[in-house]
């Protein structure tokens, strides 16, 4: 970490000079454009189209991705894995149904539930709860237009400066969805889903709405689920330069939790439930409503202003074998930014200034229970989280092909727990965290089709309430990351390749609290850890006119290599940090002909097992899965599809728990992946 001090001071002063410099009045890129032309270009001012999103992410000096909805709507699209599985650097695996493990570049490795380390947004509006933890079951893959992925510290425009980066789920508007769609899916394990979505433009108003309902018995015993989701937005274009948009998201999620198995149980019968989880009637049920407004104004000089507010109401009912977690969360927040173009030192200079402010209150209670029926109160805290983020980004065009990008974020976070259950003592506490996070990078347009980039950035992540306690005053997790990469789109091939190296201080890791009591562990700060990896995305045409004129055969490969290790740790030495595989491969062929048929064989490959415990004594096994997707488009209004998965019925662990030391013995830490399954659907548009 010796590089940190000089980098921090140099970039801090440069970022302050460039990002906040008022040296020039902003000018619009083309002041001659009329308001009608501006409206035609932007359509919905407050929501970017897929093309605009791609152009925006291509101006980032770091690893990014845009995932279009068509790529995952082609088959069964239910989980976060279905959405992001072909995005290099992202690891998403289902623990059970929509309960998933999500990590980018090794974020949140010690967290096997209630994700942290990644900023989640929908239409640029934060999804994470105020303390930084998040769930994503209320995200409906069938109600999306596209997904934007910013890896690492490349999401500064959303105020995200954490290790994993940010994911923005973008819903359609009436401008991008002028149709009504009815979709029906059914398949293995009594899976059934119905969805209706519609959108239109009515004068100055436009709207989009999606309603879906899903039920399934699940691949395993005691793994049923029932979900209902509503996603809707309505925009009012007050003038060609001013638009306000209202959002409503409502979800009711009911999920049985079968628990993890030992390796022996997994290999013998992966469909069985963990006996303790089933006996406790373990579930994760929540009811959530999110309301938001976002307003966009483009001034006569071309400066863009965005501002919004949101409120979240979430109720969690979560019986487990050790107790029943009962939480009611209320979050309110506001956000805004200013995007302008101007000149500095005679060069084109683009700036972004923004803020995020959120305050959340959670009434967190734990009950003793019998199969989900509350018996007695065991714990009661009022948890209050407050975050303030101020950020700025400067983009100086050194030449027509080279941009120098600097950014700076200041984060202030406060976590307060007021103990309301005093019979066992007062466990109230308050913690504060504050930090500047600078970044600097270069983006070179090497040719019309290819870019090369590099960046050096800092990341900062305060702990969530799940890591803290009255007796554990954790430090915030900090990291310094160096990244190099290139991306290009040509007629022959598309590539997106990144390599990164991160030095971390205070990574949140499980440590054994008492060497005489095996299994008694807690999240503590590690001294030094290292995350490094390579992310490769490749795609292109394989051949044309294979069976008949107009046929196409395309290929796609997503390869992720990530090595996450302790660095001379006082307990674990240089051991691997467990939780996700070092290598993960997804590949497919896409055949399409002029008669309306498509055929897409695909593979998922983990070439070597990965550790379950920090002592590196217990690991998973490698696996290879084969899948096949096929569809037929009768007309522009009618399409049917079949999605077959794990055709060889391979027994494997999709993900695992993380423990301190298994001592080489088997342990109930393995979450079975889904066996052979087939799903089919029909989609009607009008």
């Amino acid at each position: 970490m010796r590089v940190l001090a000089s980098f921090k001071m140099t970039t801090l002063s440069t970022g302050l000079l460039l990002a906040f410099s008022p040296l020039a009045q902003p000018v619009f890129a083309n002041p001659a454009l009329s308001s009608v032309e501006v409206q035609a270009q932007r359509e919905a001012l407050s929501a970017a189209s897929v093309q605009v999103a791609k152009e925006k992410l291509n101006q980032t000096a770091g690893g990014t991705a845009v995932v279009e909805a068509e790529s995952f709507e082609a088959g069964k699209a239910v989980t976060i894995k279905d959405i992001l599985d072909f995005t290099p650097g992202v690891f998403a695996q289902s623990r059970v149904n929509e309960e998933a493990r999500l990590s980018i570049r090794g974020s949140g490795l010690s967290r096997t539930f209630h994700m942290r380390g990644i900023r989640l947004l929908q239409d640029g509006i934060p999804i994470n709860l105020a303390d930084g933890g998040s769930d994503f079951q209320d995200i409906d893959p069938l109600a999306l237009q596209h997904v934007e992925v910013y890896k690492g510290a490349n999401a500064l425009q959303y105020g995200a400066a954490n290790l994993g980066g940010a994911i923005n789920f973008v819903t359609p508007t009436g401008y991008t969805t002028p149709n009504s769609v009815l979709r029906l899916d059914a398949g293995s394990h009594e899976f059934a889903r119905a969805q209706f979505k519609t959108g239109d433009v009515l004068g100055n108003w436009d709207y989009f709405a999606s309603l879906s309902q899903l039920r399934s018995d699940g691949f395993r015993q005691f793994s049923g689920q029932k979900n209902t989701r509503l996603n809707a937005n309505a925009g009012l274009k007050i003038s060609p330069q001013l638009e306000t948009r209202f959002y409503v998201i409502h979800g009711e999620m009911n999920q049985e939790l079968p628990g993890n198995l030992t390796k022996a149980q997994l290999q013998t019968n992966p469909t069985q439930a963990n006996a303790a989880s089933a006996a406790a009637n373990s579930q994760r049920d929540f009811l959530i409503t999110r309301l938001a407004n976002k307003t966009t104004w483009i001034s006569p000089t071309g400066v863009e202003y965005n501002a919004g507010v949101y409120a979240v109401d979430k109720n969690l009912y979560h019986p487990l074998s050790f107790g029943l977690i009962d939480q009611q969360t209320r979050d309110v927040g506001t956000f805004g930014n200013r995007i302008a173009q101007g000149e500095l030192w005679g060069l084109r200079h683009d700036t972004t200034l923004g803020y995020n402010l959120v305050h959340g209150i959670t009434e967190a209670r734990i009950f003793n229970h019998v199969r989900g029926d509350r018996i007695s109160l065991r714990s009661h805290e009022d948890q209050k989280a407050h975050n303030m983020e101020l950020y700025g980004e400067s983009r100086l065009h050194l030449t027509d092909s080279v941009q120098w990008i600097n950014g700076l974020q200041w984060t202030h976070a406060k976590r307060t727990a007021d103990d309301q259950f005093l019979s066992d003592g007062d466990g109230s506490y308050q913690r504060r965290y504050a930090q500047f996070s600078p970044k600097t990078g270069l983006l070179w347009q090497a040719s019309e089709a290819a870019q090369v980039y590099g960046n050096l950035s800092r990341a900062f992540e305060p702990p969530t309430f799940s890591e803290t306690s009255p007796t554990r005053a954790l430090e915030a997790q900090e990291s310094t990351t160096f990244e190099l990469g290139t991306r290009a789109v040509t007629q022959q091939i598309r590539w997106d390749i990144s390599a990164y190296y991160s030095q971390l201080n205070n990574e949140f890791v499980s440590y054994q609290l008492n060497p005489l009591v095996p299994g008694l562990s807690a999240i503590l700060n590690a001294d030094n850890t290292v995350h490094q990896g390579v992310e490769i995305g490749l795609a292109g045409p394989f051949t044309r006119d294979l069976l008949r004129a107009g046929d196409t055969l395309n290929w796609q490969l997503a390869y992720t290599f990530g090595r996450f290790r302790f660095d001379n740790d006082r307990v674990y030495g240089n051991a691997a940090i467990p939780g996700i595989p070092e290598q993960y491969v997804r590949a497919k062929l896409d055949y399409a002909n002029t008669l309306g048929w498509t055929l897409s064989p695909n593979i998922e490959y983990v070439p070597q097992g990965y550790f379950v415990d920090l002592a590196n004594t217990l690991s998973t096994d490698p696996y290879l899965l084969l899948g096949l997707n096929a569809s037929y488009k009768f007309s522009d209004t009618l399409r049917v599809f079949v999605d077959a998965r794990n055709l060889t019925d391979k027994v494997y662990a999709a993900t695992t728990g993380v423990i301190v030391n298994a001592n080489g013995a088997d342990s109930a830490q393995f979450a079975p992946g889904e066996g052979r399954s087939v799903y089919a659907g029909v989609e009607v548009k009008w």
Side-chain angles (χ1 to χ4, degrees), residues 263 576 580-583 606-612 618-623 653:
K263 200 171 190 178
I580 62 176
E582 278 198 354
Q583 299 182 74
V606 173
Q608 63 187 62
Y610 54 95
F611 291 111
V612 171
L618 179 64
S619 64
T620 67
D621 294 325
Y623 67 84

Side-chain angles (χ1 to χ4, degrees), residues 114-136:
H114 194 56
M115 185 220 75
R116 65 162 168 77
I118 302 172
R119 175 72 55 85
L120 300 183
L121 310 106
Q122 185 155 3
D123 300 298
I125 301 166
I127 293 175
N128 299 68
L129 297 179
D131 74 338
S134 187
D135 296 302
F136 31 75

Side-chain angles (χ1 to χ4, degrees), residues 164-281:
I167 302 173
N168 185 30
F169 302 92
V170 180
T171 54
T173 66
Y175 293 99
T176 56
T177 306
N179 298 313
S180 295
V181 180
L182 176 65
R183 173 167 167 152
L184 303 174
D185 302 31
S188 299
H189 323 304
E190 304 298 323
F191 173 86
R193 174 176 55 183
Q195 186 221 18
F196 172 72
K197 61 183 177 183
T198 186
D200 205 351
V201 179
L202 303 173
N204 292 334
W205 285 91
D206 76 277
Y207 71 89
F208 168 80
S210 170
L211 178 65
S212 67
Q213 190 167 59
L214 177 154
R215 69 168 301 279
S216 172
D217 287 348
F219 167 66
R220 299 175 60 192
Q221 300 170 9
F222 197 74
S223 63
Q225 65 171 337
K226 294 180 181 179
N227 295 340
T228 301
R229 299 184 182 95
L230 169 68
N231 283 264
N233 68 76
L236 172 62
K237 192 163 288 187
I238 302 169
S239 75
Q241 291 82 27
L242 177 61
E243 178 182 285
T244 188
R245 187 167 298 275
F246 302 90
Y247 298 87
V248 177
I249 298 174
H250 178 76
E252 183 175 356
M253 321 297 162
N254 299 279
Q255 170 70 67
E256 294 176 334
L257 301 178
N260 290 339
L261 303 178
T262 65
K263 200 171 190 178
Q265 290 173 326
L266 168 71
Q267 295 168 346
T268 302
N269 179 14
T271 66
Q272 65 183 299
N274 179 289
S277 295
N281 194 26

Side-chain angles (χ1 to χ4, degrees), residues 189-511:
H189 323 304
E190 304 298 323
F191 173 86
R193 174 176 55 183
Q195 186 221 18
F196 172 72
K197 61 183 177 183
T198 186
D200 205 351
V201 179
L202 303 173
N204 292 334
W205 285 91
D206 76 277
Y207 71 89
F208 168 80
S210 170
L211 178 65
S212 67
Q213 190 167 59
L214 177 154
R215 69 168 301 279
S216 172
D217 287 348
F219 167 66
R220 299 175 60 192
Q221 300 170 9
F222 197 74
S223 63
Q225 65 171 337
K226 294 180 181 179
N227 295 340
T228 301
R229 299 184 182 95
L230 169 68
N231 283 264
N233 68 76
L236 172 62
K237 192 163 288 187
I238 302 169
S239 75
Q241 291 82 27
L242 177 61
E243 178 182 285
T244 188
R245 187 167 298 275
F246 302 90
Y247 298 87
V248 177
I249 298 174
H250 178 76
E252 183 175 356
M253 321 297 162
N254 299 279
Q255 170 70 67
E256 294 176 334
L257 301 178
N260 290 339
L261 303 178
T262 65
K263 200 171 190 178
Q265 290 173 326
L266 168 71
Q267 295 168 346
T268 302
N269 179 14
T271 66
Q272 65 183 299
N274 179 289
S277 295
N281 194 26
S282 297
Q283 302 177 47
R284 184 170 177 80
D285 304 340
F286 63 85
L287 183 70
I288 186 168
T289 301
R290 186 182 298 114
L291 305 176
N293 172 265
K294 180 181 178 182
T295 299
T296 298
W297 177 53
I298 301 177
S299 76
T301 57
V303 180
E304 180 178 325
Y305 297 89
N306 296 281
V309 295
Y310 62 95
V312 179
D313 182 281
K314 179 179 179 181
N315 296 320
L316 173 66
Y317 169 81
H318 194 16
L320 296 166
S321 56
F322 72 86
L324 189 155
I325 299 174
D326 186 344
Q327 295 183 352
Q328 291 79 45
T329 299
R330 312 289 184 266
D331 284 1
V332 292
T334 178
F335 59 93
N337 61 41
R338 174 187 183 273
I339 304 170
Q341 295 180 4
E343 288 188 357
L344 181 64
W345 305 326
L347 302 173
R348 177 181 165 183
H349 182 220
D350 308 330
T351 59
T352 299
L353 299 173
Y355 75 92
N356 292 315
L357 179 64
V358 60
H359 180 73
I361 300 176
T362 297
E363 184 180 4
R365 298 178 294 177
I366 299 178
F367 290 89
N368 297 310
H369 73 105
V370 175
R371 294 192 55 80
D373 293 330
R374 299 172 180 84
I375 300 300
S376 59
L377 183 65
R378 198 169 78 204
S379 173
H380 183 187
E381 283 185 350
D382 287 340
Q383 300 172 344
K384 300 176 183 177
H386 178 85
N387 291 330
M388 176 184 290
E389 297 165 341
L390 304 176
Y391 59 93
E393 186 173 78
S394 160
R395 183 182 301 272
L396 190 63
H397 296 249
L398 301 178
T399 69
D400 290 340
S401 60
V402 178
Q403 300 177 37
W404 182 28
I405 303 167
N406 287 275
L408 180 67
Q409 174 171 306
W410 180 71
T411 300
H412 179 270
K414 184 169 69 173
R415 306 284 183 261
T416 303
D418 295 326
D419 194 347
Q420 305 296 318
F421 189 77
L422 302 177
S423 60
D424 58 353
D426 188 353
S428 301
Y429 61 90
Q430 184 178 99
R431 310 272 158 70
R432 293 178 183 269
Y433 307 89
Q435 179 68 53
F436 282 104
S437 300
K439 63 172 288 188
T440 187
L442 289 173
L443 177 63
W444 174 37
Q445 191 73 39
S447 68
E448 184 177 348
Q451 293 179 327
V452 178
Y453 56 80
N455 69 72
L456 184 63
S457 62
R458 285 278 293 164
F460 177 74
E461 184 181 337
T464 70
F465 282 111
S466 296
E467 280 87 38
T468 59
S469 77
T471 58
R472 297 196 309 275
L474 270 66
E475 299 293 330
Q477 177 179 294
E478 301 179 4
S479 60
T480 300
T481 299
F482 177 64
E483 178 182 9
L484 284 174
T486 177
R487 53 181 167 247
V489 177
T490 72
Q491 291 184 344
Q492 293 76 31
I493 191 171
R494 302 191 307 274
W495 74 74
D496 194 335
I497 303 172
S498 297
Y500 65 92
Y501 180 87
S502 298
Q503 293 180 332
L504 282 75
N505 280 342
N506 304 320
E507 182 170 1
F508 303 130
V509 174
S510 294
Y511 283 87

Side-chain angles (χ1 to χ4, degrees), residues 2 12 17 39 200 233 263 306 357 390 416 463 469 491 527 559 584 590 624 627 641 683:
R2 290 187 293 270
L12 178 61
L17 171 64
Q39 180 184 17
D200 205 351
N233 68 76
K263 200 171 190 178
N306 296 281
L357 179 64
L390 304 176
T416 303
S469 77
Q491 291 184 344
D527 291 331
Y559 172 78
Y584 184 70
D590 289 319
L624 173 66
F641 72 87
E683 187 177 77

Side-chain angles (χ1 to χ4, degrees), residues 1-228:
M1 303 301 289
R2 290 187 293 270
V3 70
L4 173 60
S6 59
F7 165 59
K8 189 172 180 180
M9 292 304 297
T10 302
T11 311
L12 178 61
S13 58
T14 305
L16 284 169
L17 171 64
L18 296 180
F20 298 96
S21 173
L23 295 180
Q25 291 295 321
V27 295
F28 195 36
N30 187 351
L33 285 177
S34 69
S35 61
V36 175
E37 290 172 317
V38 171
Q39 180 184 17
Q41 286 184 356
R42 298 295 302 274
E43 293 185 337
L45 300 181
S46 54
S49 66
V50 174
Q51 184 58 38
V52 170
K54 289 181 177 180
E55 293 172 358
K56 179 179 66 175
L57 268 68
N58 281 341
Q59 295 302 305
T60 304
T64 62
V66 174
V67 184
E68 298 185 47
E70 290 82 358
S71 67
F72 50 84
E73 285 181 345
K76 179 197 175 192
V78 172
T79 68
I80 198 78
K81 172 181 171 65
D82 296 328
I83 299 173
L84 299 174
D85 219 18
F86 279 85
T87 305
V90 179
F91 180 78
Q93 283 287 3
S94 172
R95 286 191 292 270
V96 54
N97 297 324
E98 293 172 58
E99 281 282 321
R101 179 79 180 273
L102 178 61
S103 177
I104 300 178
R105 295 183 173 178
S107 64
L109 287 177
S110 291
R111 175 68 70 83
T112 58
F113 61 94
H114 194 56
M115 185 220 75
R116 65 162 168 77
I118 302 172
R119 175 72 55 85
L120 300 183
L121 310 106
Q122 185 155 3
D123 300 298
I125 301 166
I127 293 175
N128 299 68
L129 297 179
D131 74 338
S134 187
D135 296 302
F136 31 75
Q137 289 90 335
D138 55 321
I139 297 297
D140 188 347
L142 298 185
L144 299 178
Q145 172 183 284
H146 67 272
V147 180
E148 303 167 357
V149 180
Y150 300 83
K151 305 169 192 175
N154 296 310
L156 189 65
Q157 63 173 304
Y158 290 123
N162 46 23
L163 179 68
I167 302 173
N168 185 30
F169 302 92
V170 180
T171 54
T173 66
Y175 293 99
T176 56
T177 306
N179 298 313
S180 295
V181 180
L182 176 65
R183 173 167 167 152
L184 303 174
D185 302 31
S188 299
H189 323 304
E190 304 298 323
F191 173 86
R193 174 176 55 183
Q195 186 221 18
F196 172 72
K197 61 183 177 183
T198 186
D200 205 351
V201 179
L202 303 173
N204 292 334
W205 285 91
D206 76 277
Y207 71 89
F208 168 80
S210 170
L211 178 65
S212 67
Q213 190 167 59
L214 177 154
R215 69 168 301 279
S216 172
D217 287 348
F219 167 66
R220 299 175 60 192
Q221 300 170 9
F222 197 74
S223 63
Q225 65 171 337
K226 294 180 181 179
N227 295 340
T228 301

